[in-house]
Amino acid sequence: MEIGIDSFASNLLENGISTTLSGHEAMSQLLDRIDLADRLGLDVFGIGEHHRPEYLDSAPAVILAAAAARTKRIRLTSAVTVLSAADPVRVFQEFATLDLISQGRAEMVVGRGSSIEAFPLFGFDLNDYDTLFAEKLDLLLTIRDNEHVHWSGKFRPALTGQGIYPRPIQNPLPIWLGVGGTPASFVRAGTLGLPLMVAIIGGDTHRFRPLVDLYREAGRRAGYAPEQLPVGLHSLGHVAETSQKAADEVYPGYARTFNKRSLERGGPPVTRAQFNAQLGPLGALLIGNPEEVAAKIQRHSQALGGISRVTFQLDVAALPHDKLMQTIELLGNRVAPLLR
C-alpha cells in the first residue's frame, strides 16, 4: 500500500483562530514538509486547488515543480485539479512539464471540486457543473493519448490537429479521478479505466463499499482487469504519540474549519461528540497513535475490498509546522512500516 500526504498549502496558524503566516513563510514550510516526506520514504504528496484566502494552492503545478527540484523519489500530484473550471490543454502542459522536471514522478487527480469559488472566478456557470467536467475530462484524456489532437465540444474552441507540447516522460501520464459520494462519478471512473481516489471526510468508511463496487463493476464491463482499477482513500488525519493528544491537537482547528463551512452552506455546527464518534474504528478520521491509525487503515481497506493508496489530509485543522513535521515523521517511521 502506498502512503502519502495531501495539503491545501494552508497559511493559518494556532488552529486558525488568530494568526496567519506570511505567504512566503507558509510556502517555505510546506516545501520543507514535502522534502521530509521524501526523505522518510513516503510515496506521494498531493497539493489541492482552492481560490480562498486561507489557502495558497491556487497554482498546484507551480508548488509541485518547486518540490520536484528538492526531492528525489516521492510522486507529486494534484489533489484535486478542479478540471471543470480549467483549460485541459493548459493542465496537461503544466503536468507534462512537471513530469519532465521531476524525471517521471508527476500525477494528477482530477475532479469537479467540492468548493465552487473557481466557477465564477473563471467565468463558468455552476449550472454546467457536471457537463463541464465530462467534456473537459474527455479532452484531457484525448490529449494524453494523442500528440496531435482533433476534438470539438461545447465549452471550448475545437482543436483541428494542433500539437500539444511538451510530452511527459510517463506514457501514459497517470490521471486519477477524484470522487465524493456521487454514484455516477464512480461509474464514470470505472468505464474510463481510471484509478479512483475516494475522498471520505466524514461518516463511516464502509458505507462507500457499494460505490466502490459500482466502480469495479463498471470497469469490468468496460474490459479492464482488476489490477487496472486501483482504489485510493483520502481522509483527514493526524498522528501523535497518544490518541488523546492527537484528538486534542486537532479538534479546535477542525471545529473552526467545519463550522465555517456549515455556516456558508447552512448546516449545523460541529460538536466534540460528533468528532469523537469519527475517531472510532468505523469513522473516517485517521487520527490517533501510529498503531491505531495503521490498524484503522487496514480495516478501511478490508471494508472497501482493498485499497492501494491512502493519503492524509493534514491541513484542515491548521496545525503549526512543528506538529505537522512530527506527524510526517510518525507516518514515515511507524505507520508506513506497519502498513507495508
Side-chain angles (χ1 to χ4, degrees), residues 109-128:
V109 180
V110 300
R112 297 182 299 179
S114 60
S115 299
I116 62 173
E117 66 271 1
F119 288 83
L121 181 63
F122 296 109
F124 294 103
D125 189 340
L126 200 56
N127 292 321
D128 298 323

Side-chain angles (χ1 to χ4, degrees), residues 4 15 28-29 40 43 51 53 63 79 81 95 100 154 156 164 175 200 245 247 254 261 270 272 300 303-304 335:
N15 291 320
S28 177
Q29 290 180 355
L40 290 173
D43 298 290
H51 304 269
I63 299 173
T81 295
F95 280 85
L100 299 178
K154 176 181 177 182
R156 189 197 187 283
I164 309 297
I175 297 175
I200 305 179
K245 181 180 180 183
Y254 172 94
R261 292 184 184 180
V270 172
R272 182 64 190 251
H300 287 345
L304 296 176
V335 176

Side-chain angles (χ1 to χ4, degrees), residues 77-97:
T77 183
S78 58
V80 302
T81 295
V82 185
L83 191 61
S84 303
D87 180 356
V89 174
R90 205 70 178 119
V91 168
F92 182 85
Q93 290 175 323
E94 290 170 352
F95 280 85
T97 303

Side-chain angles (χ1 to χ4, degrees):
M1 184 187 297
E2 294 181 327
I3 300 94
I5 295 167
D6 291 330
S7 173
F8 293 163
S10 172
N11 65 341
L12 299 178
L13 187 63
E14 295 179 0
N15 291 320
I17 295 169
S18 60
T19 307
T20 60
L21 293 168
S22 69
H24 169 75
E25 186 177 9
M27 198 65 73
S28 177
Q29 290 180 355
L30 172 60
L31 292 172
D32 285 345
R33 294 196 291 273
I34 302 174
D35 181 55
L36 177 62
D38 179 59
R39 288 187 281 111
L40 290 173
L42 294 180
D43 298 290
V44 60
F45 205 107
I47 300 294
E49 181 189 339
H50 297 82
H51 304 269
R52 303 169 64 96
E54 65 266 35
Y55 301 129
L56 305 176
D57 61 347
S58 63
V62 178
I63 299 173
L64 293 168
R70 294 181 52 167
T71 56
K72 292 181 172 59
R73 293 173 298 274
I74 197 164
R75 297 193 66 77
L76 301 166
T77 183
S78 58
V80 302
T81 295
V82 185
L83 191 61
S84 303
D87 180 356
V89 174
R90 205 70 178 119
V91 168
F92 182 85
Q93 290 175 323
E94 290 170 352
F95 280 85
T97 303
L98 173 64
D99 203 49
L100 299 178
I101 294 170
S102 66
Q103 300 182 49
R105 293 184 283 131
E107 298 184 1
M108 67 178 88
V109 180
V110 300
R112 297 182 299 179
S114 60
S115 299
I116 62 173
E117 66 271 1
F119 288 83
L121 181 63
F122 296 109
F124 294 103
D125 189 340
L126 200 56
N127 292 321
D128 298 323
Y129 184 70
D130 188 68
T131 309
L132 275 165
F133 181 73
E135 178 175 298
K136 293 189 175 192
L137 179 60
D138 176 65
L139 176 54
L140 180 65
L141 296 177
T142 301
I143 295 169
R144 182 178 72 163
D145 295 340
N146 300 276
E147 181 174 334
H148 294 271
V149 177
H150 295 266
W151 179 93
S152 63
K154 176 181 177 182
F155 298 103
R156 189 197 187 283
L159 294 170
T160 57
Q162 292 93 332
I164 309 297
Y165 304 107
R167 306 306 296 180
I169 293 173
Q170 298 177 92
N171 185 21
L173 182 71
I175 297 175
W176 295 62
L177 193 63
V179 298
T182 305
S185 296
F186 287 80
V187 172
R188 174 187 285 142
T191 301
L192 295 172
L194 295 176
L196 184 76
M197 179 57 69
V198 188
I200 305 179
I201 61 173
D204 293 346
T205 298
H206 71 271
R207 293 182 178 178
F208 283 74
R209 176 60 183 269
L211 295 171
V212 173
D213 287 345
L214 273 179
Y215 163 69
R216 290 179 170 133
E217 176 60 18
R220 186 193 67 79
R221 289 178 179 272
Y224 295 100
E227 59 269 20
Q228 295 176 284
L229 301 168
V231 175
L233 172 65
H234 160 99
S235 292
L236 311 183
H238 179 57
V239 186
E241 288 291 346
T242 70
S243 300
Q244 191 64 51
K245 181 180 180 183
D248 290 345
E249 287 177 346
V250 166
Y251 179 70
Y254 172 94
R256 180 183 182 275
T257 295
F258 281 91
N259 283 337
K260 181 179 179 181
R261 292 184 184 180
S262 294
L263 184 63
E264 290 174 351
R265 301 174 184 181
V270 172
T271 68
R272 182 64 190 251
Q274 292 170 331
F275 172 78
N276 289 342
Q278 290 294 302
L279 303 180
L282 301 181
L285 299 182
L286 300 176
I287 296 172
N289 67 46
E291 292 72 27
E292 287 175 333
V293 168
K296 191 169 189 179
I297 292 169
Q298 290 172 332
R299 285 194 296 271
H300 287 345
S301 181
Q302 292 169 357
L304 296 176
I307 61 174
S308 60
R309 175 180 291 185
V310 60
T311 57
F312 290 72
Q313 170 49 258
L314 302 185
D315 278 1
V316 171
L319 291 168
H321 177 60
D322 62 330
K323 285 188 169 57
L324 294 176
M325 293 288 272
Q326 291 168 10
T327 289
I328 293 169
E329 289 177 354
L330 290 171
L331 285 173
N333 291 330
R334 292 174 60 180
V335 176
L338 290 171
L339 291 174
R340 289 169 181 158

